[in-house]
Amino acid sequence: MARITVEGSTLVVEMEGLDKLWALKSRLDIPLANVRGATFDPGIVKEPKGFRAPGSHFPGLLVAGSFHTKGEWVFWDVKDGARAVVVELADERYARLVVEVDDPRATVDLIERALVMR
């Protein structure tokens, strides 16, 4: 699972527990200027993941790390797809972040409010 916060003008995504190991990352810092929006999308886990480089993928259990698909990089950290949030990015290494969070609707609201306030 990941924890998403806003620190000043930065969206901070911190992987928790063993997700740091599976995703091979502990934190992502994204300028809010490069965040296009966020959605709650439990169905996204059914999408093809592409090529893992590096990361972990155990179908039906977890997907975590960097994946390349359809000409773009996507960062995943999801075990329970029912709590998946998709963050769309511009001008970043990743085109999207797909992460599991404790409260998807509150997380989307937090991101959308931060985008309006910037």
Side-chain angles (χ1 to χ4, degrees), residues 1-4 12-23 25-28 61-65 75-85 98-104 107:
M1 186 177 315
R3 184 176 60 239
I4 295 179
V12 178
V13 181
E14 292 181 281
M15 278 44 78
E16 298 180 327
L18 287 175
D19 287 16
K20 295 175 189 177
L21 173 69
W22 302 124
K25 286 200 184 297
S26 60
R27 178 179 169 123
L28 295 167
L61 295 177
L62 78 94
V63 58
F75 179 82
W76 289 81
D77 184 19
V78 177
K79 285 182 248 156
D80 180 0
R83 299 190 299 179
V85 169
V98 182
V99 295
E100 175 188 342
V101 295
D102 187 43
D103 187 340
T107 301

Side-chain angles (χ1 to χ4, degrees), residues 6 8 11 32 108-118:
V6 176
L11 182 73
L32 283 174
V108 169
D109 288 345
L110 170 77
I111 295 168
E112 293 297 325
R113 277 194 318 271
L115 294 177
V116 169
M117 302 287 286
R118 65 176 168 176

Side-chain angles (χ1 to χ4, degrees), residues 58-75:
F58 301 101
L61 295 177
L62 78 94
V63 58
S66 302
F67 290 76
H68 192 262
T69 183
K70 300 177 186 172
E72 64 185 23
W73 286 98
V74 179
F75 179 82

Side-chain angles (χ1 to χ4, degrees), residues 33-49:
N34 294 350
V35 177
R36 294 179 19 209
T39 56
F40 169 44
D41 187 355
I44 196 158
V45 295
K46 295 177 183 159
E47 263 191 29
K49 308 305 180 278

